[in-house]
Amino acid sequence: MNRQAQAVVLLLLGGAVIRASLTDLHLRYVKEGLRPFLVAAGLLLVAAAVMTLFYELRPLLRRTPAGHDAGHDARGGHDGHDADGSYDGHGHDRDGGHDDGHGHHEPRVGWLLILPVLGLLLVAPPALGSYAAGQAGTAVATRQQPSDYPPLPDGDPVRVAVLDYASRALFDRGTSIGDRRVQLTGFVTTGPDGRPLLARMVLSCCAADGRPVKLGLTGAAPDGLADDTWIEVTGRYSDRIARDPVNDAEIPYLDVESWRQVPVPRQQYE
């Protein structure tokens, strides 16, 4: 792979990053707040590729239609060779050396670098879901000291994030929730006992560090739904606690009063 090919691959990669950044595709890889950094990185890649192509093609742009350089050396040189005969005009050194005129070539395995670029351009992988949730322990672990949470916002029911509910339910045992009705949205994943859990993946930075937050469901909990089905549940705090078999962390419960199936949200991560 020569420098021109490397520049083309770099150009494709930068374009793929920009395309993902300007659409919702980037939300399957990173948090929404990182979009400006992705756009900037894509623009830098494109700029580097364009500059590399310009530098590599500049000698060709200076040639005449006859294939010769635009100017000859004042001493009678031809095609950039000195008139003292050090080169014979065919890439051979008259002292016995040989110049192939092509420089060093990188291994052909370098072309494999284009595969992730094509994958980013042509394939839209799904966001982390029930399979990832089943392989990892819940991200919320209890702390020994109580946590001070502000009161829930006004509204009945009040919409809260799965992570927010799980934190309040475990860290201060539902004191900040009280008897308020809450409404949460997440996807269904099957628990170790075969009962459905409500889960949501949380990211620190990108999908590589994604971890699930899991909630057990009691009361009028849904039944018979396939994994990765997105639902909206309304209910109240339950003091029931279970243990995650993956990491032995506590899983809080929600006493469900009603639920409904909803479309997959634009932002699937919390």
Side-chain angles (χ1 to χ4, degrees):
M1 178 183 289
N2 56 28
R3 285 180 179 266
Q4 297 175 18
Q6 293 172 7
V8 171
V9 173
L10 195 63
L11 183 63
L12 290 174
L13 178 59
V17 172
I18 293 175
R19 172 181 173 271
S21 304
L22 298 180
T23 64
D24 291 341
L25 181 60
H26 75 284
L27 296 177
R28 304 186 183 187
Y29 299 98
V30 298
K31 300 180 72 172
E32 188 169 16
L34 296 179
R35 171 183 280 185
F37 300 98
L38 284 179
V39 173
L43 291 176
L44 287 175
L45 290 173
V46 171
V50 171
M51 293 299 294
T52 302
L53 284 174
F54 174 77
Y55 178 81
E56 290 296 316
L57 297 178
R58 184 173 54 179
L60 298 178
L61 298 177
R62 291 181 175 178
R63 293 182 180 275
T64 63
H68 300 289
D69 289 344
H72 294 279
D73 191 278
R75 295 174 296 170
H78 177 70
D79 287 338
H81 298 283
D82 292 336
D84 59 3
S86 59
Y87 289 89
D88 64 4
H90 298 284
H92 297 279
D93 192 309
R94 294 195 175 181
D95 293 329
H98 178 74
D99 180 12
D100 61 8
H102 298 287
H104 297 286
H105 291 273
E106 288 73 13
R108 293 183 179 179
V109 72
W111 284 105
L112 293 178
L113 293 174
I114 203 170
L115 294 180
V117 178
L118 294 177
L120 188 59
L121 286 171
L122 303 177
V123 180
L128 298 177
S130 61
Y131 177 79
Q135 301 301 308
T138 184
V140 182
T142 55
R143 295 181 292 189
Q144 297 299 320
Q145 70 275 16
S147 298
D148 295 328
Y149 281 89
L152 291 174
D154 294 334
D156 183 36
V158 57
R159 178 174 292 278
V160 297
V162 174
L163 177 59
D164 188 24
Y165 175 85
S167 301
R168 292 173 183 267
L170 291 179
F171 295 164
D172 66 358
R173 299 304 180 187
T175 301
S176 60
I177 301 176
D179 197 39
R180 298 283 303 277
R181 290 201 312 157
V182 294
Q183 191 173 79
L184 303 87
T185 300
F187 60 85
V188 174
T189 183
T190 303
D193 58 355
R195 299 290 300 167
L197 298 174
L198 185 71
R200 197 75 182 254
M201 301 297 295
V202 295
L203 305 183
S204 298
C205 171
C206 58
D209 58 32
R211 296 187 61 190
V213 176
K214 306 175 186 178
L215 296 181
L217 303 175
T218 63
D223 193 15
L225 293 179
D227 285 351
D228 294 311
T229 300
W230 283 82
I231 60 174
E232 179 185 85
V233 296
T234 302
R236 302 178 189 272
Y237 166 74
S238 171
D239 59 2
R240 181 177 172 182
I241 298 292
R243 288 282 178 179
D244 193 324
V246 180
N247 62 351
D248 199 40
E250 292 184 339
I251 296 179
Y253 271 71
L254 175 71
D255 187 13
V256 179
E257 294 181 351
S258 62
W259 65 273
R260 67 185 182 93
Q261 186 172 342
V262 295
V264 178
R266 171 179 173 272
Q267 176 58 277
Q268 300 184 46
Y269 300 131
E270 287 188 352

